Amino acid sequence: MKALRNWIDKQKPQFEKGGKLHMFKSVFGGFETFLFVPNHTTKIGSHVRDYTDLKRTMSMVVLALIPALLVGMYNIGYQHNLAVGATASFMETFFYGFLRVLPAIIVSYGVGLGVEFVTAQLKGHEIHEGFLVSGLLIPMVMPVNTPLWMIAVSVAFSVVFCKEVFGGTGMNIWNPALVARAFLFFAYPSQMSGESVWVSLGGEKAIDAFSGATPLAKAAEAVTTGTLDLGNFSPMDAFLGFIPGSIGETSTLAILIGAVILIWTGIGSWKIMVSTVLGASFVGILMNLFGSNPYMTDMPFWYHFIIGGFAFGAVFMATDPVSAAQTEKGKWYYGFIIGVLAVIIRVMNPAYPEGMMLAILLMNTFAPLIDHGVVSGNIKRRLKRAKA
């Protein structure tokens, strides 16, 4: 590494002001900071007051995502085998999913980093590291059958309109990965919902009576049919991740491993995670007791934690250090309301069976207001004590 460091130091003057390659300074800086810790601190937006830097923080989040990604890859192969009635070994099942997911990850990083590079060159600033996480999150919250061109369009939309127009990493209001998903959800609803988008058939024909519907979609049908039927899935299947769903959102167990990593390293807020679960439990129990249809009364409230994107959203999306509430008390309010809204949207509006995405985006909008209220309350209490 010392030889590489010396080589980079030797090349650096060419990219400084007056050098032959000055116009590519931001690109050179991006590669340098990817390899080595820079000797300067962040000056705008969110920044970490610690021995680690933003890039290392992002790397830890990527590490926390790996268990959910690996289980998601296996589940894609597992659901494929169920759909076509095939049998396969563990490795064959995993590699089927690996080959289906890898192109989406490559497209996401390729388009996102390309936009980041071009924007850095045009605006003359450094390349931001924030897309290290968003580049992996975006394909993980998509159905496996999402066309690659749609992923590319959603990534470009997210980076440009969710980050760059606000000033780049640390200045965005909403979570970029959720904005990408919301963009596709409303722009191309037929490709983001229905039974056919969650299970990869690979050109083969599904066996008779196979359904690719997610447990959330099946539960939403109870509002109109009057009978709750979640399909042939046990709670353990849902907890382990062997159900149809978005690529990285199916395994609650793997997501909990990621949660432990985030909390242990001090990157993810346990207060937001816990309060989100408390909020969902509160409204879920009320619906179990006083609900008006089988979706509310017959499905135990804790099922919301193991189906759909609730767990993934609570751990990886709601805790986004940029778009979440920043005050300690505000994190409790912020997470609790997300949990409440997620369950209400799921149960009250069958047109949006996955309420977590909309709940987090809505609370991203109001997070600054929550912090303002908490800070204002603290100031008033201190002034009152000072006058007493």
Side-chain angles (χ1 to χ4, degrees):
M1 294 301 289
K2 187 175 181 179
L4 182 59
R5 176 73 264 180
N6 291 335
W7 182 83
I8 289 177
D9 288 340
K10 190 178 295 183
Q11 305 303 317
K12 185 178 287 186
Q14 300 185 60
F15 296 90
E16 300 292 346
K17 190 173 182 180
K20 291 189 298 184
L21 302 175
H22 174 64
M23 63 179 298
F24 298 112
K25 180 181 179 181
S26 58
V27 177
F28 179 81
F31 282 112
E32 182 188 14
T33 56
F34 182 78
L35 295 171
F36 298 99
V37 177
N39 58 356
H40 57 269
T41 57
T42 305
K43 298 179 178 61
I44 60 172
S46 65
H47 54 277
V48 180
R49 301 178 180 86
D50 206 330
Y51 58 88
T52 187
D53 62 356
L54 182 60
K55 182 165 61 269
R56 268 67 191 175
T57 299
M58 295 293 178
S59 300
M60 198 57 64
V61 179
V62 171
L63 177 65
L65 285 167
I66 295 301
L69 177 63
L70 294 178
V71 176
M73 289 176 173
Y74 177 83
N75 183 51
I76 290 170
Y78 178 77
Q79 295 299 327
H80 167 79
N81 294 338
L82 285 180
V84 301
T87 57
S89 66
F90 175 86
M91 292 307 297
E92 289 173 335
T93 302
F94 175 80
F95 272 104
Y96 180 88
F98 173 80
L99 294 176
R100 293 289 291 120
V101 175
L102 184 61
I105 295 176
I106 293 174
V107 168
S108 176
Y109 275 116
V111 173
L113 292 176
V115 174
E116 292 272 10
F117 276 37
V118 171
T119 305
Q121 286 298 121
L122 294 175
K123 300 175 70 175
H125 63 59
E126 297 176 347
I127 295 174
H128 298 151
E129 302 94 340
F131 198 76
L132 285 176
V133 171
S134 300
L136 187 56
L137 279 174
I138 290 174
M140 288 181 71
V141 298
M142 299 291 180
V144 63
N145 288 334
T146 306
L148 295 179
W149 69 266
M150 284 175 53
I151 293 179
V153 171
S154 68
V155 168
F157 178 88
S158 173
V159 174
V160 173
F161 292 101
C162 181
K163 287 179 60 181
E164 297 303 335
V165 297
F166 291 102
T169 297
M171 307 298 286
N172 49 292
I173 299 175
W174 301 286
N175 183 290
L178 284 180
V179 168
R181 176 166 171 171
F183 171 74
L184 290 186
F185 187 82
F186 291 108
Y188 307 97
S190 61
Q191 284 88 355
M192 296 295 291
S193 59
E195 297 184 8
S196 61
V197 302
W198 307 105
V199 177
S200 171
L201 296 178
E204 301 180 59
K205 186 179 179 182
I207 60 176
D208 292 340
F210 175 82
S211 171
T214 65
L216 270 180
K218 299 285 289 184
E221 293 175 358
V223 177
T224 53
T225 63
T227 304
L228 180 67
D229 177 15
L230 297 181
N232 299 319
F233 311 110
S234 67
M236 185 56 69
D237 289 334
F239 179 72
L240 296 177
F242 301 138
I243 57 175
S246 295
I247 293 170
E249 294 183 345
T250 57
S251 175
T252 307
L253 175 61
I255 293 167
L256 288 176
I257 294 173
V260 171
I261 294 174
L262 294 182
I263 294 172
W264 181 54
T265 55
I267 293 173
S269 169
W270 66 269
K271 294 176 182 176
I272 293 177
M273 298 180 199
V274 171
S275 58
T276 302
V277 173
L278 290 176
S281 300
F282 172 72
V283 72
I285 291 173
L286 287 180
M287 288 182 175
N288 280 172
L289 294 175
F290 308 108
S292 59
N293 61 57
Y295 193 0
M296 298 181 182
T297 58
D298 294 355
M299 192 175 87
F301 72 93
W302 54 270
Y303 269 39
H304 286 287
F305 309 150
I306 58 175
I307 60 177
F310 183 90
F312 193 85
V315 172
F316 294 108
M317 300 296 194
T319 59
D320 182 347
V322 176
S323 55
Q326 306 295 310
T327 56
E328 296 306 311
K329 186 181 289 186
K331 291 176 182 176
W332 287 104
Y333 297 137
Y334 168 83
F336 190 86
I337 299 174
I338 285 177
V340 169
L341 290 176
V343 174
I344 288 177
I345 295 172
R346 281 181 172 185
V347 176
M348 299 284 192
N349 191 343
Y352 301 100
E354 182 47 273
M356 199 60 178
M357 171 186 71
L358 296 178
I360 295 175
L361 286 175
L362 182 62
M363 290 314 298
N364 283 168
T365 306
F366 289 103
L369 187 62
I370 292 174
D371 286 333
H372 176 75
V374 171
V375 172
S376 298
N378 288 339
I379 292 174
K380 289 180 181 177
R381 280 193 296 273
R382 291 183 180 184
L383 289 174
K384 191 175 181 180
R385 283 201 301 267
K387 292 178 180 177

Short mmCIF file of all heavy atoms in Angstrom, two decimals, residues 247-268:
data_model
loop_
_atom_site.label_atom_id
_atom_site.label_comp_id
_atom_site.label_asym_id
_atom_site.label_seq_id
_atom_site.Cartn_x
_atom_site.Cartn_y
_atom_site.Cartn_z
N ILE A 247 -35.97 -8.15 -3.54
CA ILE A 247 -34.76 -8.94 -3.49
C ILE A 247 -34.17 -9.05 -2.08
O ILE A 247 -33.84 -10.14 -1.61
CB ILE A 247 -33.70 -8.35 -4.45
CG1 ILE A 247 -34.19 -8.52 -5.89
CG2 ILE A 247 -32.33 -8.99 -4.25
CD1 ILE A 247 -33.35 -7.77 -6.91
N GLY A 248 -34.04 -7.93 -1.38
CA GLY A 248 -33.34 -7.97 -0.09
C GLY A 248 -34.23 -7.81 1.11
O GLY A 248 -33.73 -7.68 2.23
N GLU A 249 -35.56 -7.83 0.92
CA GLU A 249 -36.46 -7.50 2.03
C GLU A 249 -37.12 -8.70 2.67
O GLU A 249 -37.86 -8.54 3.63
CB GLU A 249 -37.56 -6.55 1.52
CG GLU A 249 -37.08 -5.19 1.09
CD GLU A 249 -38.22 -4.27 0.68
OE1 GLU A 249 -39.34 -4.77 0.47
OE2 GLU A 249 -37.98 -3.06 0.57
N THR A 250 -36.86 -9.91 2.19
CA THR A 250 -37.68 -11.04 2.64
C THR A 250 -37.23 -11.65 3.96
O THR A 250 -38.04 -12.16 4.70
CB THR A 250 -37.68 -12.15 1.56
OG1 THR A 250 -36.33 -12.54 1.28
CG2 THR A 250 -38.34 -11.66 0.28
N SER A 251 -35.94 -11.63 4.28
CA SER A 251 -35.44 -12.34 5.45
C SER A 251 -35.32 -11.41 6.66
O SER A 251 -34.38 -10.61 6.76
CB SER A 251 -34.09 -12.99 5.16
OG SER A 251 -33.57 -13.58 6.34
N THR A 252 -36.24 -11.55 7.61
CA THR A 252 -36.15 -10.76 8.84
C THR A 252 -34.92 -11.15 9.64
O THR A 252 -34.28 -10.29 10.26
CB THR A 252 -37.42 -10.96 9.68
OG1 THR A 252 -38.57 -10.69 8.87
CG2 THR A 252 -37.44 -10.03 10.88
N LEU A 253 -34.57 -12.44 9.64
CA LEU A 253 -33.39 -12.89 10.38
C LEU A 253 -32.13 -12.20 9.87
O LEU A 253 -31.33 -11.68 10.66
CB LEU A 253 -33.24 -14.40 10.25
CG LEU A 253 -31.98 -15.00 10.88
CD1 LEU A 253 -31.94 -14.73 12.38
CD2 LEU A 253 -31.90 -16.50 10.58
N ALA A 254 -31.93 -12.20 8.55
CA ALA A 254 -30.74 -11.56 7.98
C ALA A 254 -30.73 -10.06 8.23
O ALA A 254 -29.67 -9.46 8.48
CB ALA A 254 -30.68 -11.84 6.48
N ILE A 255 -31.91 -9.45 8.19
CA ILE A 255 -32.00 -8.01 8.45
C ILE A 255 -31.65 -7.71 9.90
O ILE A 255 -30.99 -6.70 10.20
CB ILE A 255 -33.41 -7.51 8.10
CG1 ILE A 255 -33.64 -7.61 6.59
CG2 ILE A 255 -33.63 -6.08 8.57
CD1 ILE A 255 -35.08 -7.44 6.16
N LEU A 256 -32.05 -8.59 10.82
CA LEU A 256 -31.70 -8.40 12.23
C LEU A 256 -30.19 -8.50 12.44
O LEU A 256 -29.62 -7.80 13.29
CB LEU A 256 -32.43 -9.43 13.10
CG LEU A 256 -33.94 -9.21 13.28
CD1 LEU A 256 -34.55 -10.35 14.08
CD2 LEU A 256 -34.20 -7.88 13.97
N ILE A 257 -29.53 -9.38 11.70
CA ILE A 257 -28.06 -9.45 11.77
C ILE A 257 -27.46 -8.11 11.34
O ILE A 257 -26.53 -7.59 11.98
CB ILE A 257 -27.53 -10.59 10.89
CG1 ILE A 257 -28.01 -11.95 11.44
CG2 ILE A 257 -26.00 -10.55 10.80
CD1 ILE A 257 -27.68 -13.12 10.54
N GLY A 258 -28.01 -7.54 10.27
CA GLY A 258 -27.56 -6.22 9.84
C GLY A 258 -27.83 -5.16 10.89
O GLY A 258 -27.02 -4.26 11.10
N ALA A 259 -28.98 -5.28 11.57
CA ALA A 259 -29.32 -4.30 12.62
C ALA A 259 -28.30 -4.36 13.75
O ALA A 259 -27.88 -3.32 14.27
CB ALA A 259 -30.72 -4.58 13.15
N VAL A 260 -27.89 -5.57 14.12
CA VAL A 260 -26.89 -5.71 15.18
C VAL A 260 -25.57 -5.03 14.78
O VAL A 260 -24.93 -4.33 15.58
CB VAL A 260 -26.65 -7.21 15.50
CG1 VAL A 260 -25.46 -7.38 16.44
CG2 VAL A 260 -27.90 -7.82 16.12
N ILE A 261 -25.18 -5.21 13.52
CA ILE A 261 -23.94 -4.58 13.04
C ILE A 261 -24.05 -3.06 13.10
O ILE A 261 -23.13 -2.37 13.56
CB ILE A 261 -23.64 -5.05 11.60
CG1 ILE A 261 -23.33 -6.55 11.58
CG2 ILE A 261 -22.46 -4.26 11.00
CD1 ILE A 261 -23.17 -7.14 10.19
N LEU A 262 -25.18 -2.53 12.64
CA LEU A 262 -25.36 -1.07 12.64
C LEU A 262 -25.39 -0.50 14.06
O LEU A 262 -24.81 0.55 14.33
CB LEU A 262 -26.65 -0.70 11.91
CG LEU A 262 -26.70 -1.00 10.40
CD1 LEU A 262 -28.03 -0.54 9.81
CD2 LEU A 262 -25.55 -0.30 9.69
N ILE A 263 -26.07 -1.19 14.95
CA ILE A 263 -26.15 -0.69 16.33
C ILE A 263 -24.80 -0.84 17.03
O ILE A 263 -24.35 0.07 17.74
CB ILE A 263 -27.26 -1.45 17.10
CG1 ILE A 263 -28.62 -1.12 16.50
CG2 ILE A 263 -27.23 -1.08 18.58
CD1 ILE A 263 -29.75 -1.96 17.06
N TRP A 264 -24.15 -1.96 16.84
CA TRP A 264 -22.86 -2.23 17.50
C TRP A 264 -21.79 -1.22 17.07
O TRP A 264 -20.96 -0.79 17.88
CB TRP A 264 -22.41 -3.65 17.17
CG TRP A 264 -21.11 -4.04 17.80
CD1 TRP A 264 -20.79 -3.97 19.14
CD2 TRP A 264 -19.97 -4.55 17.14
NE1 TRP A 264 -19.51 -4.41 19.33
CE2 TRP A 264 -18.97 -4.78 18.12
CE3 TRP A 264 -19.67 -4.85 15.80
CZ2 TRP A 264 -17.72 -5.27 17.81
CZ3 TRP A 264 -18.42 -5.36 15.50
CH2 TRP A 264 -17.46 -5.56 16.50
N THR A 265 -21.83 -0.83 15.80
CA THR A 265 -20.85 0.13 15.30
C THR A 265 -21.29 1.58 15.53
O THR A 265 -20.55 2.51 15.19
CB THR A 265 -20.61 -0.08 13.79
OG1 THR A 265 -21.87 -0.01 13.09
CG2 THR A 265 -19.97 -1.43 13.53
N GLY A 266 -22.49 1.78 16.08
CA GLY A 266 -22.96 3.13 16.37
C GLY A 266 -23.44 3.89 15.15
O GLY A 266 -23.64 5.10 15.22
N ILE A 267 -23.69 3.20 14.04
CA ILE A 267 -24.11 3.87 12.80
C ILE A 267 -25.62 3.98 12.71
O ILE A 267 -26.16 5.01 12.34
CB ILE A 267 -23.55 3.11 11.58
CG1 ILE A 267 -22.02 3.23 11.57
CG2 ILE A 267 -24.15 3.63 10.28
CD1 ILE A 267 -21.35 2.39 10.52
N GLY A 268 -26.33 2.91 13.07
CA GLY A 268 -27.79 2.93 13.03
C GLY A 268 -28.38 3.28 14.39
O GLY A 268 -27.83 2.90 15.43
#
